[in-house]
Amino acid sequence: MGIDIKRLTPELSEDYLYFFDNTPHSTNKPEHRCYCVCWSSKDCEGTDFSSAEKRRDIAKEYVRDGNIQGYLAYVDNKVIGWCNANTKEDCYGCVSWKMFMKPVKEEESDIKIKSVLCFAVSPEMRGQGVATQLLKRVCEDAKEDGFDLIEAYPNREFTSTEDDFMGTISMFEKAGFIRCYEAGNKTVMQKALKV
């Protein structure tokens, strides 16, 4: 099985939307589709995320404007996976950062950090290394794009595939990340890109 990884661009917005339109979430209810809009570089102040339809419309805008960044995984020209990876300091105003990441240190330095924020994989493709391949591409491109390090925020203890959408400690360790500190129920892990 050949997996093709593509960086999200406005030209791929229909593929992105189709993936979220058709990929089950934890409850498998259409009204819970997230479109990953809560992890973005757009400040969430005043934005209404209350329905799947509103989140879908927001996703169109965010993809067009580059506020959602990440990678799509394809098999036979069909999207089967997604990884949200954005510049850390650009995400402090997004709704998910404000809700889940309060204990994580917000950097105020010249260090350029790429944050790995979310993975979504089609149920039939889970357990086949899709997230690992997405992470590998994030690391390669982040190094090429001049980032100093990559940071990830897996749960300290694995609960379920749906609850551990930020990846697992073991996956990041296999990719060369080290545990840096604990922040609430998260383990902050980093991988240096510059030697």
Side-chain angles (χ1 to χ4, degrees):
M1 168 186 66
I3 297 175
D4 186 24
I5 309 290
K6 297 180 183 180
R7 190 188 301 240
L8 180 63
T9 63
E11 294 76 28
L12 297 177
S13 64
E14 288 304 315
D15 290 353
Y16 179 85
L17 294 170
Y18 182 84
F19 175 72
F20 281 96
D21 288 343
N22 294 286
T23 300
H25 284 60
S26 58
T27 64
N28 207 13
K29 295 180 180 177
E31 64 267 24
H32 293 162
R33 291 186 182 116
C34 67
Y35 296 92
C36 216
V37 294
C38 294
W39 292 109
S40 73
S41 61
K42 183 86 170 186
D43 192 299
C44 68
E45 194 66 37
T47 306
D48 182 359
F49 298 105
S50 63
S51 71
E53 293 78 20
K54 289 177 182 179
R55 291 188 296 274
R56 190 181 198 281
D57 289 341
I58 292 165
K60 286 181 190 178
E61 173 193 330
Y62 282 11
V63 171
R64 181 194 69 221
D65 296 343
N67 297 119
I68 294 177
Q69 295 182 17
Y71 295 84
L72 296 167
Y74 291 78
V75 170
D76 296 328
N77 295 313
K78 178 185 175 198
V79 180
I80 49 91
W82 159 250
C83 175
N84 186 319
N86 210 326
T87 303
K88 181 180 181 182
E89 67 180 346
D90 291 345
C91 295
Y92 297 152
C94 77
V95 68
S96 285
W97 192 279
K98 289 180 177 185
M99 285 175 48
F100 303 120
M101 307 298 279
K102 289 177 185 170
V104 175
K105 297 174 190 170
E106 293 186 7
E107 306 296 328
E108 294 182 21
S109 68
D110 293 337
I111 298 173
K112 191 174 176 187
I113 301 171
K114 175 70 82 172
S115 286
V116 178
L117 301 166
C118 182
F119 292 92
V121 177
S122 298
E124 71 276 7
M125 297 302 296
R126 292 178 186 159
Q128 298 187 44
V130 176
T132 299
Q133 289 190 48
L134 284 160
L135 180 59
K136 180 181 177 195
R137 176 66 184 274
V138 171
C139 293
E140 291 168 354
D141 284 2
K143 184 173 184 176
E144 190 175 301
D145 293 342
F147 283 85
D148 297 293
L149 58 91
I150 298 182
E151 199 166 82
Y153 318 98
N155 289 336
R156 285 189 313 173
E157 295 181 21
F158 180 81
T159 338
S160 69
T161 301
E162 287 77 18
D163 290 335
D164 292 271
F165 59 86
M166 296 181 89
T168 62
I169 289 173
S170 62
M171 178 182 72
F172 290 113
E173 285 179 333
K174 288 176 188 173
F177 286 69
I178 59 168
R179 299 177 197 213
C180 294
Y181 63 94
E182 291 184 353
N185 69 335
K186 304 285 181 201
T187 298
V188 178
M189 303 183 74
Q190 295 179 343
K191 179 177 182 173
L193 298 174
K194 296 184 178 179
V195 182

